[in-house]
Amino acid sequence: MLHVGITGGIGSGKTTVCKIFEILGIPVYYADERAKWLMEHQASLVQGILGLLGQEAYTGEGKLNRSWISGKVFGNPELLSQLNALVHPAVAQDGFDWQDRQTDCPYTLKEAALLFESGSYLLLDKTIVVTAPLELRIKRVMDRDGVPRQAVQERIDRQMPEEDKVRKADYVIYNDGQRLLIPQVIAIHQGLVEAAKAMIS
Ligand code: ATP
């Protein structure tokens, strides 16, 4: 079975594209969502975060205190890398366990915003990047999250430039409001099914 990664900048349409792959029967692992879940539910990770950041990292109800953590690691790269050193291996292992449970599909998809930045693409067979013009991405996220332009722009500025991701990818999906998404997804799906067949023959 092939293991494929899918990424793209904020608001590029990664999740939207993954939903189309799911309709085609491809299982998708949403790494960022799963990371949030593990940070609240995996006992060893919770203990690690408490040890690193202290009790304030969680609310009284056991929810992750996101704004407090952001404030704490913002401008403290050492602490951020220590936090990442706890979270990334836990998510990577969870992703491998998930992959092992998938059967009867030619390939699996792993969706992650920081696929290239984290180096996790190195453990995957193929990568897909979803790309959209910057202005369209900003507008889509402002509409989706009800946040101001500045907030979206700041998040975009912290990510690898989308053109670098496009250069690194095996496949590119253009979600620019001009080209249709579904035919692009189907063409890549067919290519991946063929690649998976070639791998076992
Ligand atoms: P993030 O990195 O913030 O999680 P994302 O890359 O997963 O974002 P989506 O959530 O899939 O992006 O898309 C952003 C918003 O744009 C969503 O509200 C989605 O419904 C909308 N959107 C995505 N693609 C299209 C499209 N082709 N036409 C219209 N709306 C779209």
Side-chain angles (χ1 to χ4, degrees):
M1 192 187 294
L2 278 181
H3 298 126
V4 181
I6 183 163
T7 190
I10 291 160
S12 57
K14 298 178 288 299
T15 309
T16 305
V17 165
C18 284
K19 298 295 171 199
I20 304 173
F21 277 103
E22 284 193 84
I23 291 167
L24 295 172
I26 299 305
V28 181
Y29 181 84
Y30 293 93
D32 303 322
E33 258 178 41
R34 189 68 187 158
K36 288 176 193 159
W37 189 89
L38 290 168
M39 287 170 84
E40 289 180 353
H41 295 92
Q42 191 183 72
S44 54
L45 183 56
V46 172
Q47 284 310 313
I49 293 170
L50 283 169
L52 180 70
L53 301 175
Q55 296 290 338
E56 280 172 282
Y58 292 89
T59 66
E61 293 79 43
K63 295 274 169 219
L64 206 60
N65 200 341
R66 276 177 213 295
S67 53
W68 184 85
I69 293 178
S70 301
K72 192 98 172 142
V73 299
F74 186 76
N76 188 340
E78 174 58 23
L79 193 60
L80 177 61
S81 72
Q82 286 177 318
L83 181 61
N84 285 338
L86 291 173
V87 178
H88 288 171
V91 180
Q93 187 56 54
D94 184 71
F96 294 137
D97 294 346
W98 175 86
Q99 275 173 1
D100 288 345
R101 291 196 299 274
Q102 307 311 311
T103 51
D104 293 334
C105 55
Y107 63 96
T108 62
L109 263 190
K110 179 179 182 190
E111 190 231 48
L114 303 180
L115 197 74
F116 292 118
E117 293 91 331
S118 68
S120 61
Y121 74 102
L122 295 168
L123 299 169
L124 295 161
D125 300 305
K126 299 279 181 199
T127 55
I128 302 169
V129 163
V130 183
T131 185
L134 182 64
E135 189 51 38
L136 194 54
R137 289 167 55 201
I138 293 174
K139 195 175 166 315
R140 282 176 178 162
V141 177
M142 286 169 69
D143 288 349
R144 185 193 62 191
D145 298 347
V147 291
R149 167 176 292 270
Q150 176 72 11
V152 185
Q153 188 67 58
E154 280 170 9
R155 285 163 64 191
I156 288 174
D157 291 346
R158 287 200 292 270
Q159 291 193 335
M160 178 188 280
E162 205 158 79
E163 55 272 23
D164 291 355
K165 293 180 185 173
V166 166
R167 262 196 298 276
K168 283 175 177 283
D170 295 300
Y171 300 95
V172 180
I173 294 176
Y174 296 91
N175 186 17
D176 53 9
Q178 308 283 321
R179 284 164 270 200
L180 292 174
L181 277 183
I182 293 173
Q184 295 183 72
V185 172
I186 289 173
I188 292 172
H189 173 74
Q190 286 169 336
L192 288 169
V193 169
E194 289 308 314
K197 273 189 205 152
M199 207 168 74
I200 48 174
S201 63

